[in-house]
Amino acid sequence: MNKTISNILIQEQVVLEKIYHIRDQKVMLDLDLAVLYEVETRALKQAVKRNIQRFPDDFMFQLTKEEWQEVITICDNLPKSAKFSPATPFVFTEQGVAMLSSILNSERAINVNIQVIRIFARLRNMVADNTQIRLEIEKIKNKLENQDKNMEIVFQYLDELLALKEKPILKRNRIGFKPDEL
């Protein structure tokens, strides 16, 4: 990797902290993306509005005032200027971030986009791995439940056998030759 690209790339943790879960989607705020791309939020929004046909609702949407207030209350690392802005931010899904690279042509935007897309892909893989782990845990739970039921049955049989053993055995009259009676 050449030196200019390695200086441009940002730490993965920085990107992960800027991914939010809104409307059951993982998204990034326009103001966070603007900081990563080193452009003004206003310029980013203008570029998006000029190319709005590239951003359907599943790529980008604007937060409602209620959603924005919720984000503000949850996130304490937002810039103060953004908190009091009259306009609510745009949020971009993974596909929307990928589409941003087609309208922002700077070298930094392209390299940051590549990194962000890779992080989104890793997150998706982690979720898939977690789903697989959950399925395995469910299988184990079911087996344990079945074993519990089987153990219950075994203990029931043991209790019945112990109850039979505790009953006094009636002395029976022997049939046939009795050596004691001579």
Side-chain angles (χ1 to χ4, degrees):
M1 191 181 289
N2 71 33
K3 289 182 182 180
T4 58
I5 292 177
S6 64
N7 289 341
I8 292 175
L9 295 181
I10 47 182
Q11 291 182 356
E12 185 173 319
Q13 190 60 35
V14 171
V15 175
L16 287 172
E17 290 171 358
K18 296 182 183 311
I19 296 176
Y20 302 97
H21 195 80
I22 301 173
R23 295 186 194 175
D24 293 328
Q25 298 183 62
K26 288 179 179 48
V27 296
M28 293 185 75
L29 300 172
D30 59 3
L31 56 111
D32 289 332
L33 287 165
V35 169
L36 294 176
Y37 297 144
E38 294 180 349
V39 298
E40 291 182 25
T41 306
R42 178 183 54 82
L44 181 99
K45 282 185 170 186
Q46 284 175 348
V48 169
K49 286 177 183 177
R50 277 194 302 268
N51 296 280
I52 198 68
Q53 69 279 6
R54 294 177 183 251
F55 296 95
D57 291 343
D58 58 331
F59 282 31
M60 178 211 69
F61 53 90
Q62 191 165 12
L63 293 181
T64 65
K65 289 195 182 293
E66 293 80 23
E67 289 169 330
W68 180 227
Q69 285 304 312
E70 188 176 330
V71 171
I72 289 172
T73 56
I74 292 171
C75 304
D76 47 347
N77 60 346
L78 294 173
K80 289 193 188 303
S81 60
K83 291 180 183 181
F84 301 110
S85 173
T88 58
F90 291 147
V91 293
F92 297 87
T93 63
E94 179 181 355
Q95 294 83 6
V97 172
M99 188 59 71
L100 277 174
S101 66
S102 68
I103 63 170
L104 299 173
N105 292 322
S106 71
E107 185 179 339
R108 174 152 180 100
I110 292 167
N111 290 320
V112 168
N113 260 13
I114 290 168
Q115 187 174 5
V116 170
I117 296 301
R118 285 180 178 153
I119 291 169
F120 268 111
R122 249 182 269 139
L123 283 174
R124 200 173 41 255
N125 289 339
M126 285 173 29
V127 169
D129 290 346
N130 285 342
T131 303
Q132 188 61 35
I133 290 170
R134 280 194 202 124
L135 290 173
E136 292 296 322
I137 289 172
E138 282 301 315
K139 280 184 191 176
I140 292 169
K141 271 186 182 176
N142 289 337
K143 284 181 182 179
L144 288 176
E145 285 175 7
N146 288 339
Q147 286 180 351
D148 285 348
K149 289 175 187 173
N150 291 340
M151 293 297 285
E152 222 174 280
I153 292 171
V154 167
F155 282 118
Q156 232 176 7
Y157 285 138
L158 286 174
D159 288 342
E160 288 174 15
L161 287 173
L162 287 173
L164 285 175
K165 190 175 182 181
E166 289 174 359
K167 284 184 184 176
I169 299 175
L170 299 175
K171 192 168 184 177
R172 298 188 302 183
N173 291 334
R174 291 179 63 168
I175 301 174
F177 176 72
K178 300 176 187 168
D180 336 329
E181 295 179 1
L182 287 177

